[in-house]
């Protein structure tokens, strides 16, 4: 979701386009990307991307060239955390980049699959990315709600 600049609070583009997205009661496990990001928390999810494991439709060129996804597809694992080479240099580099840009440790997220299990992990992610103001979805890139513009501190 994109935001228009406002001096007080960002105005979600969904207010202008009419496309609203509330957090579902449960998050489909297919929305856990191989890199450890929960796709529901990504700005590109449904704008126009359906999720890394669901479809290539609407993905950016960079997403289509993702080396982590290519490796994941080649090795045919359910999640990268189950690979004997995990954490590999690709995952470490990806996580380092996301920590620097978004304060999001994707490697720790990918590691949780081993200790937490997918169902519990999706429930935890739901709570992490659920907007306390309106029930919308907090996007990791902006730390803001896709619906009301609420910003995490």
């Amino acid at each position: 979701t994109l935001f228009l600049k406002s001096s007080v609070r960002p105005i979600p583009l969904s207010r202008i386009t009419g496309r609203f997205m509330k957090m579902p009661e449960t998050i489909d496990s297919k929305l856990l990307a191989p890199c450890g990001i929960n796709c529901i928390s990504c700005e590109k999810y449904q704008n126009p991307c359906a999720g890394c494991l669901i479809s290539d439709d609407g993905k950016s060129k960079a997403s289509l060239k993702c080396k982590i996804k290519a490796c994941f597809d080649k090795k045919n694992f359910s999640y990268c955390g189950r690979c004997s080479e995990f954490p590999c240099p690709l995952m470490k580099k990806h996580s380092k980049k996301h920590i620097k840009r978004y304060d999001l440790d994707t490697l720790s997220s990918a590691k949780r699959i081993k200790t937490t299990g997918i169902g519990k992990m999706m429930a935890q992610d739901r709570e992490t990315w659920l907007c306390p103001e309106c029930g919308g979805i907090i996007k990791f890139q902006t730390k803001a709600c896709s619906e009301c513009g609420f910003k995490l501190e």
Side-chain angles (χ1 to χ4, degrees):
T1 302
L2 301 173
F3 290 88
L4 298 178
K5 292 192 178 197
S6 166
S7 59
V8 180
R9 181 181 258 188
I11 301 168
L13 199 55
S14 62
R15 288 244 176 102
I16 296 164
T17 63
R19 287 184 61 205
F20 292 95
M21 193 156 121
K22 295 289 185 178
M23 178 68 79
E25 287 300 314
T26 57
I27 301 174
D28 187 334
S29 62
K30 288 181 182 166
L31 290 177
L32 179 64
C35 65
I37 291 174
N38 191 318
C39 292
I40 206 162
S41 69
C42 181
E43 291 179 326
K44 293 177 180 132
Y45 177 64
Q46 290 191 345
N47 193 26
C49 182
C52 289
L53 299 181
I54 296 172
S55 170
D56 285 342
D57 293 342
K59 285 193 171 51
S60 67
K61 287 180 184 178
S63 293
L64 290 171
K65 292 179 184 178
C66 177
K67 291 178 183 177
I68 294 171
K69 172 88 166 58
C71 177
F72 173 85
D73 288 342
K74 183 174 127 188
K75 292 185 177 184
N76 201 24
F77 279 104
S78 299
Y79 304 100
C80 288
R82 295 197 172 137
C83 178
S84 62
E85 296 177 44
F86 181 83
C88 67
L90 281 175
M91 289 291 291
K92 290 176 182 176
K93 182 179 177 181
H94 181 271
S95 189
K96 187 176 181 179
K97 178 178 81 173
H98 276 71
I99 289 169
K100 186 176 180 178
R101 285 187 187 168
Y102 308 115
D103 193 29
L104 181 68
D105 185 350
T106 61
L107 193 56
S108 290
S109 181
K111 286 178 182 178
R112 283 190 303 150
I113 194 69
K114 286 183 173 181
T115 58
T116 307
I118 191 66
K120 190 172 184 182
M121 193 172 163
M122 293 291 102
Q124 290 172 346
D125 282 1
R126 183 185 187 279
E127 294 307 310
T128 299
W129 303 112
L130 175 67
C131 176
E133 297 287 314
C134 74
I137 301 168
I138 305 287
K139 299 301 180 176
F140 76 82
Q141 293 98 331
T142 60
K143 302 286 190 269
C145 176
S146 62
E147 301 310 313
C148 70
F150 172 81
K151 196 105 163 114
L152 288 178
E153 296 302 318

